Amino acid sequence: MRLRWSFAREPEPRTADALAIRPGPGKQNDTRSLATSVLEHGPTVFGTPAKPVRILVLPHDPTFDDMLAATFVELQLANLPIPAGAAAFAQLATLVREGLMPSTVPLEESIEGIYLAIRNLAGNDLADPGIATAFVDRWRAMAAVLLEAAANSMDPFSSRLFHARPEFARERTFLRDDRRVYEQDLRRADRLLVRIPGRLGPDAALILRDPKCLLFTHWAREDPDAPLGHGYLLLAVARGGGEWIFSTHPIHRTPINSLATLLQAEEARLDPVSADSDPWFDGACFQHSLVAAPKRGSRLSDHLVLATFRKWAKARPVRRRRIPWAAVAAGASLVAAVAGAWAWHSIVPKVVDFEARGSMLPDEVIPDLRSEGLKIGRFALIIGVGKSSLGSLPAAVPDSVRFYRLLTEKFDYSPANVKLLVDDPSLALDGSGRVISGVRTPTLSNVRAALSELSFASERYPAGDTSQFLLYYGGHGHIEERAKQVGYLVLSDCWEHRVPWVPDEYCYNMSHLRLDVENQIRTTHKMLLVDSCFSGFTVKTRGEYQANPSAVYQLWREKAFTVLTATSESQRAREQDGESYFAGAVMRGLGFGIPGLPADANRDLIVTEAELAAWVKRDVEERARNAPHQDPQYVRGMEGDGVGQFLFFSGGSAPSAPSGSP
């Protein structure tokens, strides 16, 4: 017989046959990993009622962990087996309770996302029997999916359990719309710069008032429009009625329990007795990364809570302003600050001492950083088009093959995660002279299919898990005169369909390329290397960029979206002696055919994107001294960018250069 589930602000048993699902001091579940505690210790972890249990009492706003624990208790009391795979689901519930979003599947199909949708769609007042019944019914439908998956030993962190289930279509749609709701919540929010005790700072903080979106924690942590460009470290949420929650991103393990101490002192001034019996929660079981108001709500006014917080955090408001795009180059130490719109920008040089940047990383830390970097997920798409009606480019395919070998042999990219598309597969040979498997023709449909495959493969890495994607294109570029000029990558089937001329059906619009990579590839770090005429069109749309140039290595795990092109949007790319100027510069800088990394300006065995950009700029300018000018473009600050750096960690041996190679 199924138990009756009820919900109360104070989840205490009201009858002798009720069992409260709640964390309790002095019990094994004091860590608040309730589902895990039930699996390890059984229902008695919540006490032993005087009569057989008929009612489960849960908090008025239950977490996913609360509900999963209640389901396990119900099965145990009915003497029904719990699948052995349920432990992994309990572990996920623990991480979600800590404020993490641990799944690697899209949010609208994740376990934590579906639960939040079910909870929100049910309504606020679970004390209402009708609302509670509807909510529990939807939960039981979800729990059935989870238990079935656990019985089949499916991984809750990566399995798309709700992808093909029409009964959860409403929840998936609700979640897809949640980002727009977050944007509306921001209109009533305060953005601050704060200095949290114990951190160097400054850090970005966000105060949300009664947010309506479900995943505000996720959106805020990843918000690229935050004052420092990489999300809000500290989040404060006011729900009304004295209900406050302050939290820092669990990944950073930044304690804020000193804030709880100050707020508790203010609470004690108003009512010492109540404050002592119902104190502010200091987040001890969450590494002190969370502070919450007393269970009955704070007696302090919102004004006093905020005043205490602002004083503790040395908070100051953020005045929103547009910051000119900036690109950071290294080695020769050039930062190009680009002001205004794109049209033929003027460039203002600013000297940056890259050696000073590199010296911030102690020598003893470098091996650990390289070791970590070699373990991250890496993906690449390499496209070489050597033949078209625009003329032959003898170097395009060999350059692409060399780049494939450089990544797989020297930088430890798995061949399974590197897609090679060239129009002459006979040239696609590895270091042993064998034909590289899986090579496809670089048509528009094949390029899009490869992007889709890499999108699916990169889903294994959720936001916050550092991973890399690199795209290289070698081939012709073309300009179409429309209402404005449009640049295209000339793929294999582009010009065969020139009559009638519909380039968007067969050629790749350069401005679309960047957006497609941003929208489809799930990695934290992305870099585009575009070696074609007029390749500057790839970055014709620019956004804001704000970074701390003295923290390259400390911030490398943060998001990064970089573009390095062979030319500006008005120039032609050159090749000579079977090698393009641009590709040759990249190969030499990253050490194709030789030990070491020549572009590594500060000799720490790591090449940053800025070091590579500076090397390429110098190398191309040197080769083009007696030819028409060719000016490589290094661009940051586009949509999806953060303050991280794309780094090249060499873990393999240097691929051997073929005879006669430069």
Side-chain angles (χ1 to χ4, degrees):
M1 184 179 75
R2 283 183 172 177
L3 305 178
R4 181 167 69 86
W5 295 28
S6 69
F7 303 87
R9 182 169 290 275
E10 286 297 323
E12 298 293 338
R14 295 177 182 158
T15 61
D17 59 356
L19 182 67
I21 306 299
R22 59 175 175 78
K27 300 180 184 294
Q28 294 97 326
N29 62 339
D30 192 34
T31 61
R32 299 189 174 231
S33 302
L34 300 196
T36 297
S37 295
V38 173
L39 291 179
E40 293 176 351
H41 305 289
T44 57
V45 72
F46 301 118
T48 306
K51 295 183 178 180
V53 176
R54 295 180 179 274
I55 304 171
L56 297 180
V57 184
L58 290 101
H60 74 291
D61 188 16
T63 67
F64 171 65
D65 188 33
D66 295 330
M67 298 298 289
L68 190 62
T71 294
F72 291 163
V73 167
E74 189 173 61
L75 290 172
Q76 289 171 334
L77 291 175
N79 294 318
L80 295 175
I82 297 176
F89 289 79
Q91 180 187 8
L92 181 139
T94 297
L95 296 174
V96 172
R97 188 161 199 147
E98 292 176 4
L100 298 171
M101 302 293 285
S103 296
T104 61
V105 300
L107 284 173
E108 65 270 17
E109 297 176 2
S110 68
I111 292 174
E112 56 269 35
I114 293 294
Y115 173 73
L116 286 173
I118 289 174
R119 173 66 191 92
N120 189 272
L121 289 168
N124 290 331
D125 189 9
L126 291 183
D128 182 304
I131 293 177
T133 298
F135 169 63
V136 172
D137 286 346
R138 291 302 296 150
W139 164 255
R140 290 191 189 280
M142 179 180 182
V145 174
L146 303 184
L147 291 172
E148 177 186 0
N152 293 323
S153 299
M154 297 182 70
D155 180 4
F157 297 91
S158 61
S159 301
R160 305 175 75 160
L161 303 181
F162 300 94
H163 175 66
R165 292 184 178 268
E167 65 269 31
F168 293 97
R170 188 182 183 207
E171 285 81 8
R172 293 197 300 270
T173 302
F174 193 86
L175 289 166
R176 280 195 292 269
D177 293 337
D178 195 58
R179 172 73 197 201
R180 289 196 292 272
V181 180
Y182 170 73
E183 297 293 341
Q184 296 171 2
D185 288 336
L186 284 179
R187 297 173 185 173
R188 299 177 285 109
D190 291 337
R191 299 172 178 83
L192 304 170
L193 288 178
V194 298
R195 291 188 178 274
I196 301 173
R199 280 182 62 87
L200 293 177
D203 294 299
L206 182 68
I207 300 175
L208 289 173
R209 292 174 173 80
D210 193 20
K212 305 302 181 186
C213 69
L214 289 178
L215 301 173
F216 60 83
T217 299
H218 172 79
W219 303 131
R221 303 295 191 215
E222 302 296 325
D223 193 338
D225 295 325
L228 299 178
H230 51 283
Y232 294 94
L233 174 69
L234 194 151
L235 184 62
V237 181
R239 289 291 193 182
E243 185 177 341
W244 281 90
I245 296 178
F246 298 87
S247 64
T248 55
H249 199 309
I251 291 177
H252 293 280
R253 298 183 180 275
T254 300
I256 56 173
N257 52 310
S258 57
L259 174 61
T261 301
L262 291 176
L263 291 168
Q264 178 65 14
E266 294 293 336
E267 204 85 33
R269 290 192 182 96
L270 292 180
D271 189 344
V273 176
S274 297
D276 186 57
S277 61
D278 187 15
W280 278 77
F281 175 63
D282 70 355
C285 52
F286 299 133
Q287 292 80 47
H288 296 294
S289 64
L290 185 147
V291 166
K295 295 177 183 177
R296 295 184 179 87
S298 175
R299 293 166 177 77
L300 305 177
S301 67
D302 287 350
H303 175 76
L304 183 53
V305 171
L306 280 176
T308 303
F309 164 73
R310 289 173 183 271
K311 183 177 180 181
W312 168 82
K314 297 181 175 61
R316 55 188 176 89
V318 174
R319 293 178 175 83
R320 294 183 65 83
R321 60 187 179 89
R322 291 194 63 80
I323 300 172
W325 170 89
V328 182
S333 307
L334 181 69
V335 169
V338 180
W342 169 261
W344 322 133
H345 304 290
S346 60
I347 301 208
V348 182
K350 178 181 178 182
V351 175
V352 174
D353 181 3
F354 186 79
E355 295 293 339
R357 296 171 71 184
S359 67
M360 292 191 66
L361 189 69
D363 290 343
E364 63 270 17
V365 177
I366 291 174
D368 291 338
L369 177 61
R370 292 189 69 252
S371 176
E372 182 180 355
L374 290 171
K375 296 175 183 177
I376 66 176
R378 299 168 178 182
F379 306 88
L381 173 58
I382 302 171
I383 306 165
V385 185
K387 300 174 183 177
S388 77
S389 56
L390 285 182
S392 175
L393 293 174
V397 173
D399 284 341
S400 299
V401 173
R402 282 194 287 267
F403 198 69
Y404 174 92
R405 291 187 54 205
L406 181 73
L407 295 184
T408 57
E409 297 174 28
K410 185 161 186 172
F411 290 99
D412 286 353
Y413 280 66
S414 168
N417 291 336
V418 181
K419 307 297 181 183
L420 177 62
L421 284 68
V422 295
D423 58 1
D424 190 349
S426 67
L427 298 178
L429 305 177
D430 63 18
S432 302
R434 293 188 296 267
V435 175
I436 298 170
S437 62
V439 177
R440 284 178 275 184
T441 305
T443 63
L444 182 60
S445 60
N446 281 346
V447 171
R448 287 177 171 164
L451 272 176
S452 178
E453 292 164 10
L454 291 170
S455 172
F456 182 78
S458 62
E459 285 182 356
R460 301 197 304 270
Y461 297 89
D465 282 11
T466 306
S467 50
Q468 293 181 334
F469 170 80
L470 198 151
L471 182 146
Y472 172 81
Y473 171 82
H476 276 296
H478 174 70
I479 293 177
E480 274 289 299
E481 296 290 345
R482 305 282 184 84
K484 62 178 182 178
Q485 289 186 326
V486 179
Y488 288 95
L489 302 181
V490 181
L491 301 174
S492 285
D493 55 351
C494 183
W495 285 77
E496 285 77 355
H497 299 85
R498 194 172 183 184
V499 181
W501 176 233
V502 188
D504 288 286
E505 292 186 8
Y506 303 102
C507 305
Y508 214 133
N509 187 315
M510 291 187 193
S511 63
H512 293 175
L513 173 65
R514 177 181 59 80
L515 294 174
D516 288 347
V517 170
E518 168 60 21
N519 292 334
Q520 294 189 52
I521 303 300
R522 310 299 180 91
T523 62
T524 55
H525 292 57
K526 306 177 180 74
M527 189 175 195
L528 309 185
L529 300 172
V530 184
D531 187 7
S532 74
C533 297
F534 322 117
S535 51
F537 276 99
T538 309
V539 290
K540 194 165 184 178
T541 301
R542 301 187 180 192
E544 296 181 357
Y545 174 54
Q546 186 177 17
N548 178 359
S550 67
V552 172
Y553 298 106
Q554 289 88 337
L555 294 174
W556 82 276
R557 298 171 188 85
E558 303 292 342
K559 284 187 174 181
F561 195 160
T562 302
V563 178
L564 183 56
T565 68
T567 71
S568 71
E569 76 275 26
S570 62
Q571 296 172 332
R572 295 184 181 275
R574 308 287 172 179
E575 65 175 58
Q576 183 179 4
D577 300 329
E579 180 182 73
S580 85
Y581 290 179
F582 177 80
V586 173
M587 298 296 162
R588 282 186 287 276
L590 295 178
F592 182 82
I594 62 173
L597 301 166
D600 178 15
N602 60 354
R603 300 297 182 262
D604 60 3
L605 304 181
I606 300 167
V607 174
T608 71
E609 64 184 53
E611 286 178 307
L612 181 61
W615 172 279
V616 168
K617 181 177 178 63
R618 291 197 310 273
D619 193 291
V620 169
E621 288 179 347
E622 177 66 23
R623 296 202 71 185
R625 278 187 305 172
N626 300 318
H629 188 60
Q630 182 174 331
D631 186 21
Q633 305 290 298
Y634 169 46
V635 181
R636 291 291 303 262
M638 300 162 297
E639 182 179 354
D641 199 6
V643 296
Q645 280 265 324
F646 195 105
L647 306 183
F648 291 88
F649 302 91
S650 176
S653 59
S656 58
S659 176
S661 293

